[in-house]
């Protein structure tokens, strides 16, 4: 039995994750994908980078990112992370610790205090945190079919937020890792869900639910898992909007 299976028994969790999966499935039938998904994926990457930066307090809209109209190292790092995700999706399930380090290195290598106040790519946790990271990596490298992809991604995201293995840019890395979990588990293999926009749309809930997860109580865990399902739904809706806009531009 998968150690995460009992979480599906928490009230409303299974329904929230199943509703998210159904919405993602409907998204993937949009006519914008009929000629290939490269253009949609490119737009989703821009919107995802903008959203994850907004969650960090940075106002950098899609057009600025498209035009590369930025010089802030945080913005540049977030863009590098999002651009690197497709190449890392196949590596995640086999070497999650390596991927986490690589994501952090990409995010922070140009920070002015890199190499002095912190080491880019280095996980820094106490003994308890180390045990939790080891357990998380074990869950990733030894998956079962019992747990839906949304559950796996939510746990990855929640644990990285709670344990904070990186002293800076941790939340950015956590969101990217969760997207890789969705990809490796087959729900979003081509990274087409704008899930970070879903978190941004529900930002107060996102912040509150991640704190709730950190308590480890059944209510706290349920709050985070339900939020994750809702964020996936909102992210799928954002991708549908992107598809609609692309179709209009093509007319």
């Amino acid at each position: 039995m998968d150690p995460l299976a009992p979480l599906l028994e928490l009230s409303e969790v299974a329904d929230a994750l199943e509703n998210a999966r159904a919405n993602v499935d409907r998204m993937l039938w949009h006519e914008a994908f009929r000629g290939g998904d490269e253009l949609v994926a490119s737009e989703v990457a821009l919107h995802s980078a903008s959203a994850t930066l907004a969650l960090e307090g940075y106002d950098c809209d899609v057009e600025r990112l498209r035009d590369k109209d930025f010089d802030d190292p945080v913005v540049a790092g977030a863009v590098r992370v999002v651009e690197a995700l497709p190449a890392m999706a196949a590596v995640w399930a086999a070497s999650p610790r390596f991927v986490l380090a690589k994501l952090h290195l990409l995010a922070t290598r140009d920070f002015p205090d890199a190499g002095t106040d912190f080491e880019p790519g280095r996980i820094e946790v106490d003994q308890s945190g180390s045990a939790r990271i080891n357990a998380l990596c074990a869950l990733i490298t030894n998956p079962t079919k019992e747990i839906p992809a949304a559950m796996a991604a939510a746990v990855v995201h929640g644990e990285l937020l709670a344990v904070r293995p990186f002293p800076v840019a941790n939340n950015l890395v956590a969101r990217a890792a969760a997207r890789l979990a969705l990809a490796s588990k087959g729900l979003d293999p081509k990274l087409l869900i704008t899930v970070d926009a879903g978190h941004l749309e529900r930002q107060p809930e996102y912040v509150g639910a991640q704190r709730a997860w950190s308590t480890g109580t059944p209510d706290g865990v349920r709050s985070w898992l339900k939020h994750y399902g809702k964020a996936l739904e909102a992210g799928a809706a954002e991708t549908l909007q992107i598809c609609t806009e692309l179709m209009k531009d093509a007319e």
Side-chain angles (χ1 to χ4, degrees):
M1 179 179 179
D2 192 293
L4 300 180
L7 302 184
L8 288 172
E9 302 302 319
L10 294 172
S11 176
E12 302 179 73
V13 166
D15 286 344
L17 299 182
E18 176 56 26
N19 287 340
R21 187 201 61 78
N23 276 273
V24 170
D25 287 347
R26 283 193 290 270
M27 176 200 84
L28 292 173
W29 281 100
H30 194 281
E31 59 184 318
F33 293 118
R34 292 176 185 171
D37 49 44
E38 293 82 4
L39 185 56
V40 178
S42 178
E43 285 297 303
V44 166
L46 288 170
H47 283 255
S48 294
S50 179
T52 198
L53 282 164
L55 289 165
E56 295 296 296
Y58 286 78
D59 182 11
C60 197
D61 64 27
V62 169
E63 293 311 314
R64 282 185 62 197
L65 295 177
R66 192 192 313 279
D67 296 338
K68 300 189 182 301
D69 179 22
F70 55 84
D71 55 14
D72 189 293
V74 175
V75 177
V79 171
R80 281 195 299 268
V81 165
V82 170
E83 290 177 344
L85 292 183
M88 293 187 179
V91 185
W92 172 253
S95 302
R97 191 182 295 271
F98 166 80
V99 172
L100 288 173
K102 182 66 173 179
L103 290 172
H104 190 253
L105 177 62
L106 290 170
T108 65
R109 71 184 187 196
D110 294 333
F111 284 19
D113 49 357
T116 54
D117 291 352
F118 70 93
E119 187 66 33
R122 181 181 178 184
I123 293 176
E124 300 179 23
V125 288
D126 59 16
Q127 186 173 358
S128 173
S130 179
R132 288 177 71 168
I133 291 295
N134 289 341
L136 179 63
C137 289
L139 288 171
I140 294 164
T141 56
N142 296 284
T144 71
K145 295 182 179 180
E146 296 177 57
I147 297 303
M151 168 79 78
V155 170
V156 167
H157 196 154
E159 279 296 273
L160 291 175
L161 292 177
V163 178
R164 298 195 62 80
F166 303 108
V168 297
N170 185 78
N171 291 8
L172 193 153
V173 171
R175 288 188 288 272
R179 294 189 68 202
L180 291 176
L182 290 173
S184 68
K185 290 281 285 184
L187 181 63
D188 188 23
K190 297 185 178 180
L191 299 160
L192 298 173
I193 306 172
T194 323
V195 62
D196 291 340
H199 293 308
L200 182 62
E201 180 179 313
R202 310 176 68 87
Q203 187 170 13
E205 179 185 278
Y206 175 63
V207 173
Q210 63 185 252
R211 290 173 180 164
W213 169 272
S214 296
T215 68
T217 64
D219 283 345
V221 171
R222 178 170 62 244
S223 176
W224 172 251
L225 295 177
K226 286 174 59 181
H227 161 76
Y228 207 86
K230 293 295 185 181
L232 279 176
E233 286 190 52
E238 177 74 6
T239 299
L240 284 175
Q241 182 62 36
I242 291 170
C243 290
T244 299
E245 293 300 321
L246 289 173
M247 296 292 290
K248 287 180 181 178
D249 292 344
E251 291 177 356

